[in-house]
Amino acid sequence: MGISTSDKPFITRVKEAEADHFMRAAVAKAQDAQFIKRTQARRELGNWNEWRDLAEQIRQHVLKYLPDYLEEFADNVEKQDGHVFFAKDEDEAHNFIKELAIAKKAKNIVKSKSMVTTEIDLDKTLLSIPGANLLESDLAEFILQEDNWDEPTHIVFPTLHKNRDQIQKEFQKLGYDGDDDPQYEARFVRGYLRKYFMKADFGITGCNFAIADNGMINLDTNEGNADITMAISKTQVVVMGMERIVPSMKEAEVLDNMLARSAVGQKLTTYCTFTGRKKGGEVDGPDDFWVVIVDDGRSKALGTEFEPILQCIRCGACMNVCPVYRQVGGKGYGSIYPGPLGEVLSPILGGYEKFKDLPYACSLCAVCTETCPVKIPLQHLIREHRIVEMDGKHMDDSMTNLILKMVGKGTQSPFLFGSAMKMAHPASNMFSQTEQPGAVEGMYDEGKIDYVPKIVPKLIHGWIDTRDVPRPVKVKENFRHWFKDHKPEETAPVVKKKGGACQ
């Protein structure tokens, strides 16, 4: 499956999302709440745009010297008796981890939240090991797992689309007999997870940032489950996208601040952890430490106009301001990466054939670019995908090109254009209605078009069905006639100065 979450057509996914009123209300509430928290946290830091400039410089510097930093990081991991495996695609990544789990005779595998492990379809692969159990230890991911691996709605808040009653029903399958009070639900699941943690023998985590100059892993969490995963399991596997690296702790500190303030509106997450293989004399930590560095299509963006998307630190801030995401939620995108991030990243990692519709799930309002803590020009990258699809790959299989060619021919001909102007008002009469009392004065004096037959091309329906379209004015009242009949006012004669006096 990879990053794809659905085989349904894009329009079908969108209509299903529109029908999920609870999800849409939950997403809107979360967006509004996060706006307040995010704004306050950023103001407390001060000089936010200067911090964005610095974060952008750090990410761009790393991408410029990515092979060097990856080599430095791998060398430092191995100096501490850890191991590094470079995987070119998802198959290499999940097959290697599966073979390692089999070699370690893993029975109880525990994972903390990680987008890249979802991207490489790791859960499904590990569950195919005979006798092995797998548990997603992040609370939201655990709920999705118990609900037959339901799709996430957000990269930071995966269960936004679920209410407390739905969660209660999932926990009842595990023996919960309380009500739908979140406090009691959380208390129950904490005890349930703790029992599994205590017998875990194989741990898997993601990675927010890998520190090149010391070989350590930086993880930011609010539940502490990642820390327990690393502390108890004898074998730990860290899975990271190859771009998630920083030169030193100094840069990690900057990006941790930007991430926490943008993702959840906090100064720092509850747990900001730097870790590696257990050292001599330490009680907690893995005896066997592995880092799997995944390409999976990322290198295709390097050196191209899409390289800036690799600056992403997965804060989800772009989704929290996106008006399209507000309406369709995560499932409408059909990718584990929804919102503006998914619109840019999904076609790169999953291909245009699978995700050709996503670059058009955008109004190009640029609010995502304005909020991005590492200054990714998201709306420009989305537009660039459209150019690639239309001009490079010629993927438009609709009647749009034919319609636009016809419009072009019509506007080039004075006769055809003039005839259309004359016929527009009377021809639209059967599709129009008179504006109702109380409407904004002057906007729809001639009425508005609220219906077109089904036989009319979808391109027109896309506008009429979602907008109030004013009816064309009568030909003698349009701008061309006004301009033709308009008489310029006489201008006063120019007064010239001569010899310091007015003439």
Side-chain angles (χ1 to χ4, degrees):
M1 184 67 74
I3 68 170
S4 175
T5 60
S6 175
D7 292 325
K8 297 178 181 178
F10 176 68
I11 294 300
T12 301
R13 298 196 305 265
V14 169
K15 289 188 178 299
E16 289 178 352
E18 288 177 339
D20 190 342
H21 300 294
F22 174 82
M23 179 275 294
R24 294 174 62 190
V27 167
K29 182 179 179 180
Q31 281 190 330
D32 294 343
Q34 283 301 310
F35 179 85
I36 296 171
K37 293 177 65 179
R38 183 173 62 248
T39 302
Q40 182 178 350
R42 289 174 172 182
R43 285 175 178 170
E44 288 176 354
L45 183 63
N47 303 308
W48 177 249
N49 281 320
E50 286 80 3
W51 282 102
R52 291 178 72 210
D53 290 337
L54 177 59
E56 179 190 31
Q57 292 167 15
I58 292 171
R59 298 300 293 135
Q60 289 181 345
H61 171 78
V62 167
L63 293 175
K64 184 177 180 179
Y65 298 102
L66 187 58
D68 302 295
Y69 282 120
L70 287 173
E71 182 178 3
E72 180 183 4
F73 171 72
D75 288 344
N76 283 319
V77 170
E78 291 171 354
K79 285 178 182 177
Q80 300 173 56
D81 296 323
H83 313 278
V84 177
F85 178 80
F86 287 89
K88 68 178 181 180
D89 55 32
E90 66 173 87
D91 289 335
E92 275 196 4
H94 66 221
N95 287 336
F96 172 79
I97 299 171
K98 177 181 178 180
E99 292 171 3
L100 180 62
I102 292 173
K104 294 292 182 178
K105 300 180 180 179
K107 296 300 180 184
N108 296 296
I109 304 170
V110 63
K111 284 176 76 269
S112 66
K113 188 176 183 301
S114 162
M115 292 304 300
V116 71
T117 59
T118 305
E119 176 188 321
I120 65 174
D121 212 10
L122 183 59
D123 290 338
K124 181 179 177 181
T125 302
L126 294 177
L127 285 171
S128 68
I129 301 175
N133 300 306
L134 172 69
L135 182 136
E136 287 280 358
S137 61
D138 175 84
L139 178 55
E141 297 287 346
F142 173 74
I143 293 169
L144 295 178
Q145 176 184 354
E146 292 304 310
D147 191 12
N148 196 28
W149 299 97
D150 189 18
E151 302 168 29
T153 299
H154 193 287
I155 66 171
V156 179
F157 314 109
T159 53
L160 265 180
H161 59 290
K162 292 189 178 299
N163 59 41
R164 62 176 70 183
D165 295 326
Q166 292 171 308
I167 294 172
Q168 178 190 16
K169 291 177 181 178
E170 295 305 322
F171 288 175
Q172 284 173 346
K173 301 175 185 177
L174 306 174
Y176 177 63
D177 58 3
D179 58 23
D180 63 355
D181 187 325
Q183 177 181 350
Y184 298 125
E185 291 177 340
R187 185 177 299 167
F188 166 79
V189 77
R190 185 183 297 118
Y192 183 90
L193 293 174
R194 180 59 64 105
K195 292 177 181 178
Y196 191 94
F197 272 125
M198 299 309 295
K199 58 183 181 181
D201 52 18
F202 195 94
I204 300 172
T205 71
C207 170
N208 289 105
F209 306 107
I211 319 299
D213 69 351
N214 63 17
M216 298 186 74
I217 296 298
N218 175 203
L219 275 171
D220 297 307
T221 63
N222 270 325
E223 296 178 20
N225 57 303
D227 286 35
I228 301 179
T229 298
M230 294 181 289
I232 293 178
S233 305
K234 297 299 181 183
T235 301
Q236 182 193 353
V237 178
V238 176
V239 188
M240 58 174 276
M242 68 179 192
E243 79 282 10
R244 305 300 295 276
I245 198 163
V246 292
S248 68
M249 296 282 283
K250 180 173 63 176
E251 291 79 18
E253 180 184 0
V254 172
L255 295 180
D256 279 337
N257 264 280
M258 303 300 283
L259 174 61
R261 294 171 192 271
S262 298
V264 288
Q266 298 175 205
K267 295 179 181 179
L268 279 178
T269 53
T270 307
Y271 301 91
C272 185
T273 305
F274 296 85
T275 187
R277 183 184 181 277
K278 181 172 67 175
K279 297 181 179 179
E282 293 181 337
V283 177
D284 298 327
D287 296 320
D288 202 11
F289 181 77
W290 288 83
V291 181
V292 177
I293 300 176
V294 181
D295 181 339
D296 200 31
R298 288 162 172 77
S299 58
K300 292 186 292 186
L302 289 172
T304 74
E305 61 270 32
F306 297 110
E307 182 175 291
I309 195 61
L310 299 181
Q311 295 169 205
C312 179
I313 58 175
R314 303 295 191 270
C315 66
C318 59
M319 300 167 205
N320 295 336
V321 297
C322 178
V324 177
Y325 177 82
R326 190 182 185 96
Q327 298 302 319
V328 302
K331 295 186 178 182
Y333 293 84
S335 168
I336 65 167
Y337 297 113
L341 165 62
E343 290 164 27
V344 178
L345 190 60
S346 299
I348 295 172
L349 301 184
Y352 284 102
E353 289 296 332
K354 184 68 177 176
F355 297 107
K356 66 179 181 179
D357 295 305
L358 293 194
Y360 296 91
C362 175
S363 66
L364 299 180
C365 66
V367 68
C368 52
T369 296
E370 289 302 310
T371 198
C372 178
V374 290
K375 300 185 72 173
I376 302 172
L378 287 160
Q379 92 277 11
H380 292 300
L381 300 184
I382 291 169
R383 183 174 178 274
E384 197 63 40
H385 273 313
R386 297 182 184 182
I387 294 173
V388 171
E389 290 187 19
M390 296 298 104
D391 297 345
K393 296 182 176 293
H394 305 288
M395 297 181 70
D396 186 7
D397 53 3
S398 69
M399 295 182 64
T400 305
N401 281 334
L402 175 61
I403 293 171
L404 291 178
K405 286 179 180 179
M406 293 172 61
V407 171
K409 293 291 184 182
T411 54
Q412 289 172 14
S413 168
F415 173 75
L416 292 175
F417 187 78
S419 299
M421 294 287 287
K422 291 178 181 178
M423 295 299 297
H425 180 78
S428 63
N429 182 53
M430 66 182 72
F431 310 125
S432 305
Q433 69 171 7
T434 303
E435 188 54 62
Q436 299 299 316
V440 178
E441 184 178 354
M443 288 189 67
Y444 302 102
D445 288 343
E446 298 291 335
K448 64 180 180 180
I449 299 173
D450 67 342
Y451 163 78
V452 290
K454 294 294 185 182
I455 60 173
V456 175
K458 291 182 178 180
L459 178 67
I460 297 176
H461 274 284
W463 280 83
I464 302 297
D465 294 348
T466 58
R467 296 169 175 83
D468 289 338
V469 179
R471 184 185 179 190
V473 298
K474 297 175 182 178
V475 67
K476 291 185 178 181
E477 298 176 3
N478 66 26
F479 175 78
R480 283 176 170 252
H481 271 74
W482 177 90
F483 187 79
K484 183 178 179 180
D485 297 337
H486 181 66
K487 302 296 184 182
E489 297 179 3
E490 292 186 7
T491 57
V494 178
V495 178
K496 297 182 180 180
K497 291 184 178 181
K498 185 177 180 180
C502 295
Q503 302 296 316

PDB file of all heavy atoms in Angstrom, residues 225-239:
ATOM      1  N   ASN A 225       5.794   7.342  25.371  1.00  0.00           N
ATOM      2  CA  ASN A 225       5.819   5.953  24.894  1.00  0.00           C
ATOM      3  C   ASN A 225       7.086   5.632  24.115  1.00  0.00           C
ATOM      4  O   ASN A 225       7.589   4.506  24.157  1.00  0.00           O
ATOM      5  CB  ASN A 225       4.581   5.672  24.026  1.00  0.00           C
ATOM      6  CG  ASN A 225       4.464   6.626  22.856  1.00  0.00           C
ATOM      7  OD1 ASN A 225       4.416   7.839  23.028  1.00  0.00           O
ATOM      8  ND2 ASN A 225       4.407   6.087  21.652  1.00  0.00           N
ATOM      9  N   ALA A 226       7.624   6.612  23.404  1.00  0.00           N
ATOM     10  CA  ALA A 226       8.864   6.367  22.651  1.00  0.00           C
ATOM     11  C   ALA A 226      10.021   6.117  23.604  1.00  0.00           C
ATOM     12  O   ALA A 226      10.882   5.260  23.348  1.00  0.00           O
ATOM     13  CB  ALA A 226       9.158   7.541  21.732  1.00  0.00           C
ATOM     14  N   ASP A 227      10.053   6.852  24.712  1.00  0.00           N
ATOM     15  CA  ASP A 227      11.126   6.661  25.687  1.00  0.00           C
ATOM     16  C   ASP A 227      11.076   5.256  26.294  1.00  0.00           C
ATOM     17  O   ASP A 227      12.116   4.606  26.490  1.00  0.00           O
ATOM     18  CB  ASP A 227      11.017   7.705  26.803  1.00  0.00           C
ATOM     19  CG  ASP A 227      11.445   9.085  26.344  1.00  0.00           C
ATOM     20  OD1 ASP A 227      11.187   9.411  25.172  1.00  0.00           O
ATOM     21  OD2 ASP A 227      12.033   9.833  27.141  1.00  0.00           O
ATOM     22  N   ILE A 228       9.857   4.783  26.600  1.00  0.00           N
ATOM     23  CA  ILE A 228       9.729   3.432  27.152  1.00  0.00           C
ATOM     24  C   ILE A 228      10.112   2.394  26.102  1.00  0.00           C
ATOM     25  O   ILE A 228      10.758   1.384  26.412  1.00  0.00           O
ATOM     26  CB  ILE A 228       8.293   3.191  27.662  1.00  0.00           C
ATOM     27  CG1 ILE A 228       7.929   4.205  28.744  1.00  0.00           C
ATOM     28  CG2 ILE A 228       8.157   1.769  28.205  1.00  0.00           C
ATOM     29  CD1 ILE A 228       6.532   4.056  29.280  1.00  0.00           C
ATOM     30  N   THR A 229       9.729   2.634  24.862  1.00  0.00           N
ATOM     31  CA  THR A 229      10.098   1.717  23.779  1.00  0.00           C
ATOM     32  C   THR A 229      11.605   1.553  23.700  1.00  0.00           C
ATOM     33  O   THR A 229      12.127   0.439  23.546  1.00  0.00           O
ATOM     34  CB  THR A 229       9.559   2.243  22.431  1.00  0.00           C
ATOM     35  OG1 THR A 229       8.132   2.306  22.480  1.00  0.00           O
ATOM     36  CG2 THR A 229       9.990   1.354  21.281  1.00  0.00           C
ATOM     37  N   MET A 230      12.324   2.666  23.838  1.00  0.00           N
ATOM     38  CA  MET A 230      13.787   2.612  23.755  1.00  0.00           C
ATOM     39  C   MET A 230      14.417   2.040  25.016  1.00  0.00           C
ATOM     40  O   MET A 230      15.462   1.383  24.955  1.00  0.00           O
ATOM     41  CB  MET A 230      14.332   4.018  23.491  1.00  0.00           C
ATOM     42  CG  MET A 230      13.939   4.584  22.140  1.00  0.00           C
ATOM     43  SD  MET A 230      14.604   6.234  21.821  1.00  0.00           S
ATOM     44  CE  MET A 230      13.634   7.238  22.947  1.00  0.00           C
ATOM     45  N   ALA A 231      13.789   2.295  26.163  1.00  0.00           N
ATOM     46  CA  ALA A 231      14.403   1.902  27.432  1.00  0.00           C
ATOM     47  C   ALA A 231      14.295   0.414  27.710  1.00  0.00           C
ATOM     48  O   ALA A 231      15.206  -0.196  28.277  1.00  0.00           O
ATOM     49  CB  ALA A 231      13.770   2.695  28.574  1.00  0.00           C
ATOM     50  N   ILE A 232      13.177  -0.215  27.318  1.00  0.00           N
ATOM     51  CA  ILE A 232      12.903  -1.595  27.727  1.00  0.00           C
ATOM     52  C   ILE A 232      13.358  -2.622  26.694  1.00  0.00           C
ATOM     53  O   ILE A 232      13.915  -3.667  27.047  1.00  0.00           O
ATOM     54  CB  ILE A 232      11.397  -1.759  28.023  1.00  0.00           C
ATOM     55  CG1 ILE A 232      11.028  -0.931  29.256  1.00  0.00           C
ATOM     56  CG2 ILE A 232      11.025  -3.217  28.220  1.00  0.00           C
ATOM     57  CD1 ILE A 232       9.562  -0.984  29.615  1.00  0.00           C
ATOM     58  N   SER A 233      13.138  -2.345  25.428  1.00  0.00           N
ATOM     59  CA  SER A 233      13.430  -3.334  24.385  1.00  0.00           C
ATOM     60  C   SER A 233      14.930  -3.590  24.270  1.00  0.00           C
ATOM     61  O   SER A 233      15.747  -2.660  24.333  1.00  0.00           O
ATOM     62  CB  SER A 233      12.896  -2.853  23.035  1.00  0.00           C
ATOM     63  OG  SER A 233      11.521  -2.543  23.109  1.00  0.00           O
ATOM     64  N   LYS A 234      15.293  -4.850  24.094  1.00  0.00           N
ATOM     65  CA  LYS A 234      16.703  -5.217  23.946  1.00  0.00           C
ATOM     66  C   LYS A 234      17.256  -4.814  22.584  1.00  0.00           C
ATOM     67  O   LYS A 234      18.443  -4.527  22.438  1.00  0.00           O
ATOM     68  CB  LYS A 234      16.881  -6.724  24.151  1.00  0.00           C
ATOM     69  CG  LYS A 234      16.513  -7.204  25.551  1.00  0.00           C
ATOM     70  CD  LYS A 234      17.387  -6.534  26.602  1.00  0.00           C
ATOM     71  CE  LYS A 234      17.050  -7.025  27.999  1.00  0.00           C
ATOM     72  NZ  LYS A 234      17.861  -6.313  29.033  1.00  0.00           N
ATOM     73  N   THR A 235      16.377  -4.796  21.601  1.00  0.00           N
ATOM     74  CA  THR A 235      16.773  -4.363  20.254  1.00  0.00           C
ATOM     75  C   THR A 235      15.931  -3.166  19.864  1.00  0.00           C
ATOM     76  O   THR A 235      14.708  -3.198  19.977  1.00  0.00           O
ATOM     77  CB  THR A 235      16.562  -5.487  19.222  1.00  0.00           C
ATOM     78  OG1 THR A 235      17.342  -6.628  19.592  1.00  0.00           O
ATOM     79  CG2 THR A 235      16.970  -5.020  17.831  1.00  0.00           C
ATOM     80  N   GLN A 236      16.587  -2.103  19.440  1.00  0.00           N
ATOM     81  CA  GLN A 236      15.863  -0.924  18.972  1.00  0.00           C
ATOM     82  C   GLN A 236      16.217  -0.648  17.518  1.00  0.00           C
ATOM     83  O   GLN A 236      17.389  -0.645  17.131  1.00  0.00           O
ATOM     84  CB  GLN A 236      16.189   0.316  19.798  1.00  0.00           C
ATOM     85  CG  GLN A 236      15.387   1.552  19.320  1.00  0.00           C
ATOM     86  CD  GLN A 236      15.893   2.853  19.900  1.00  0.00           C
ATOM     87  OE1 GLN A 236      16.760   2.860  20.772  1.00  0.00           O
ATOM     88  NE2 GLN A 236      15.373   3.967  19.408  1.00  0.00           N
ATOM     89  N   VAL A 237      15.178  -0.382  16.716  1.00  0.00           N
ATOM     90  CA  VAL A 237      15.362   0.012  15.320  1.00  0.00           C
ATOM     91  C   VAL A 237      14.787   1.407  15.149  1.00  0.00           C
ATOM     92  O   VAL A 237      13.603   1.640  15.429  1.00  0.00           O
ATOM     93  CB  VAL A 237      14.670  -0.972  14.352  1.00  0.00           C
ATOM     94  CG1 VAL A 237      14.830  -0.505  12.913  1.00  0.00           C
ATOM     95  CG2 VAL A 237      15.233  -2.374  14.525  1.00  0.00           C
ATOM     96  N   VAL A 238      15.605   2.322  14.700  1.00  0.00           N
ATOM     97  CA  VAL A 238      15.167   3.677  14.384  1.00  0.00           C
ATOM     98  C   VAL A 238      14.999   3.764  12.873  1.00  0.00           C
ATOM     99  O   VAL A 238      15.903   3.422  12.118  1.00  0.00           O
ATOM    100  CB  VAL A 238      16.200   4.718  14.850  1.00  0.00           C
ATOM    101  CG1 VAL A 238      15.781   6.117  14.422  1.00  0.00           C
ATOM    102  CG2 VAL A 238      16.399   4.643  16.351  1.00  0.00           C
ATOM    103  N   VAL A 239      13.824   4.207  12.432  1.00  0.00           N
ATOM    104  CA  VAL A 239      13.563   4.342  11.002  1.00  0.00           C
ATOM    105  C   VAL A 239      13.428   5.824  10.690  1.00  0.00           C
ATOM    106  O   VAL A 239      12.617   6.519  11.311  1.00  0.00           O
ATOM    107  CB  VAL A 239      12.283   3.595  10.578  1.00  0.00           C
ATOM    108  CG1 VAL A 239      12.143   3.588   9.063  1.00  0.00           C
ATOM    109  CG2 VAL A 239      12.289   2.169  11.123  1.00  0.00           C
TER     110      VAL A 239
END
